Amino acid sequence: MSERPFRIDAGDTSVECDPDQKMLDAFLRAGVWIPNSCNQGTCGTCKVRISTGTVDTPPPLDTVLSHTEQEQGFVLSCQSVPTSNLEIDSVTVDSSARHHVLRDISGTVGSIRQVADDTLTVTVMLDEPLEFTAGQYVELSIPGTGATRPYSMANPPGQDGELEFHIRRQPGGAATDGWIFDGMTVGEPVAMTGPWGDFCFTPDDPDLGLILLAGGTGLAPLKSIATAALELDPEREIHVYHGVRFESDLYDVEHWQTLAANHPGVNYTPCLSRGQWSGRTGYVGDAVIADLPSCKGFSAYLCGPPAMVEAGVKALKRRRMSPRRIHREKYTPAIQLSPV
């Protein structure tokens, strides 16, 4: 195999890609934005069409790239490594402030705190600041394995020197059972790559309210988004719904209650899908339908398990929210080859 970088031409844009480097990684490190979400080959967001050249790529799922698309030359840039110079369909060079150059990051564990059953809040003190947009994630490198796992930032951009992550244990998970819940210590070094993802807070019309629907640790990027939105407009109307199974799975309750007390436009509603308690029960999508007769004056961000996200989208559409204002991020266990 050649040790020289391959060239990828995309219209008026060209980047160099090392022989063992994924195409998406090369583009983002060069400051050329390609839409991306899971970075695991399960969502299809980063697909591009190759007109000339060859790549090494694992067989994609039929649900991600159809046989017709594969015959037309489409590949997943997050999974494909060039084996020759390439020409692909043009990409848009987007200089938007919400898109940032991908880079390697280092830091040390600042704190580890159990906040709910099988859920930790971990902070990492960075060696140098990281520019990102609220809603994005980084990939943490699992020591001694060569593997990575994606975790969303829960803190807003601009807090130089520290990142906050909400991490739920995945039984048998290489990152959680193999490291974070079993052996991670305060002060140990952490290697990361980021920022990734197009689940990004967009300021939109300041007159629009926000509806934030979270399942489990899908609350993390929504915490970042809510904080960023309130920094721009402390009076903004924001409805936060956090769905978990049992009361023992709830966390950050005091944070949201304090936020609601300090900002009259913020409403926080935790919902339990199982078990009994004094608060709301059922699913977050049903709670939205019960509480809001119309969602026409809002935009929404949803993050959590796929079933919760899809049900939430249906609820928002039922309440007449425009599809273009619905932003979503699905979390599934890494052992199923998708974001944690």
Side-chain angles (χ1 to χ4, degrees), residues 150-286:
Y151 293 100
S152 300
M153 278 74 78
N155 57 289
Q159 288 188 352
D160 292 351
E162 181 175 315
L163 300 179
E164 175 185 332
F165 304 104
H166 301 167
I167 302 174
R168 182 173 175 81
R169 169 178 268 148
Q170 298 294 337
T176 55
D177 276 359
W179 174 37
I180 298 170
F181 282 78
D182 182 24
M184 175 181 274
T185 58
V186 172
E188 77 170 87
V190 178
M192 298 165 282
T193 303
W196 296 95
D198 55 8
F199 184 66
C200 298
F201 172 57
T202 303
D204 288 326
D205 187 330
D207 292 332
L208 287 176
L210 295 180
I211 298 174
L212 309 180
L213 304 184
T217 54
L219 188 65
L222 303 188
K223 182 179 180 180
S224 178
I225 288 170
T227 306
L230 290 171
E231 287 176 353
L232 292 173
D233 178 10
E235 305 300 320
R236 191 159 191 174
E237 183 177 358
I238 302 177
H239 296 270
V240 183
Y241 293 87
H242 185 200
V244 295
R245 293 174 300 172
F246 302 102
E247 188 173 1
S248 57
D249 296 321
L250 285 174
Y251 69 94
D252 264 6
V253 173
E254 184 176 349
H255 166 82
W256 291 104
Q257 290 175 338
T258 300
L259 204 67
N262 293 334
H263 298 272
V266 175
N267 296 281
Y268 164 64
T269 305
C271 302
L272 303 190
S273 61
R274 303 178 190 176
Q276 300 295 319
W277 74 317
S278 59
R280 296 284 288 272
T281 57
Y283 298 100
V284 292
D286 295 333

Side-chain angles (χ1 to χ4, degrees), residues 79-164:
Q79 300 295 299
S80 302
V81 176
T83 54
S84 71
N85 292 331
L86 302 175
E87 291 184 8
I88 68 173
D89 286 351
S90 297
V91 295
T92 301
V93 179
D94 191 338
S95 59
S96 170
R98 68 177 183 157
H99 298 152
H100 309 279
V101 174
L102 181 72
R103 62 187 182 88
D104 299 321
I105 317 147
S106 59
T108 56
V109 177
S111 65
I112 305 169
R113 183 166 59 95
Q114 183 167 356
V115 293
D117 279 359
D118 287 336
T119 303
L120 300 177
T121 291
V122 176
T123 62
V124 174
M125 311 305 295
L126 299 176
D127 294 340
E128 58 185 58
L130 172 68
E131 291 185 356
F132 67 94
T133 298
Q136 290 190 295
Y137 67 89
V138 296
E139 290 188 334
L140 272 62
S141 298
I142 305 173
T145 69
T148 63
R149 291 292 183 269
Y151 293 100
S152 300
M153 278 74 78
N155 57 289
Q159 288 188 352
D160 292 351
E162 181 175 315
L163 300 179
E164 175 185 332

Side-chain angles (χ1 to χ4, degrees), residues 6-43:
F6 293 114
R7 188 183 71 253
I8 306 176
D9 293 325
D12 296 331
T13 302
S14 294
V15 301
E16 289 190 343
C17 187
D18 291 335
D20 60 350
Q21 185 180 19
K22 305 287 178 61
M23 294 170 60
L24 178 62
D25 187 275
F27 273 109
L28 297 182
R29 287 182 186 273
V32 178
W33 178 256
I34 288 182
N36 65 97
S37 182
C38 73
N39 199 30
Q40 303 289 318
T42 60
C43 71

